[in-house]
Amino acid sequence: MSKITLGIELLRKINLVKYTWKIDQDKRLYDGVLAQELYEIYPSAVTVGEDVLGEDGSLKHPWNVDYSKLVPVTMKSVQELDAKIVELEDTVKYLQEQLAAVLAKLS
């Protein structure tokens, strides 16, 4: 067992898109990521498909994203962001105290 190291840096690289399935005649829009793009930066969340067409013209084995594998990365990102917020809050508090001390000397 080891700690998860992938977090916000990985999430920054993921391109979020709206897309339609070629076979969907209603052309509904879906939110997500393109499996081929995600594979380049986080292959463990992608099942590689095959370009084999079925009788109906659709891919028999399309590329697939397992979004559940992105949950730990998202959780790690939230932890990183929370730590950054705490650090910034501490900095703001310190600077406010310094400002108050300077203003008190000027009064």
Side-chain angles (χ1 to χ4, degrees), residues 75-90:
M75 293 171 65
K76 176 67 173 171
S77 297
V78 169
Q79 291 173 341
E80 291 172 4
L81 292 171
D82 181 60
K84 189 64 161 173
I85 289 168
V86 168
E87 177 187 334
L88 292 171
E89 288 174 338
D90 290 345

Side-chain angles (χ1 to χ4, degrees), residues 5-44:
T5 57
L6 297 173
I8 196 70
E9 289 301 318
L10 175 65
L11 281 187
R12 285 183 178 141
K13 295 176 185 176
I14 297 174
N15 185 30
L16 302 175
V17 296
K18 288 189 175 290
Y19 63 92
T20 61
W21 289 98
K22 291 178 183 178
I23 195 165
D24 182 3
Q25 301 206 359
D26 295 331
K27 298 298 178 193
R28 288 177 290 218
L29 279 176
Y30 296 90
D31 296 325
V33 299
L34 300 178
Q36 292 84 343
E37 288 181 5
L38 183 61
Y39 183 77
E40 296 297 319
I41 56 175
Y42 195 57
S44 64

Side-chain angles (χ1 to χ4, degrees), residues 37-87:
E37 288 181 5
L38 183 61
Y39 183 77
E40 296 297 319
I41 56 175
Y42 195 57
S44 64
V46 177
T47 301
V48 176
E50 299 174 11
D51 292 332
V52 177
L53 297 179
E55 292 178 16
D56 62 356
S58 67
L59 288 174
K60 289 176 83 172
H61 304 286
W63 287 62
N64 188 37
V65 174
D66 181 353
Y67 286 94
S68 69
K69 296 217 173 148
L70 295 174
V71 171
V73 175
T74 304
M75 293 171 65
K76 176 67 173 171
S77 297
V78 169
Q79 291 173 341
E80 291 172 4
L81 292 171
D82 181 60
K84 189 64 161 173
I85 289 168
V86 168
E87 177 187 334

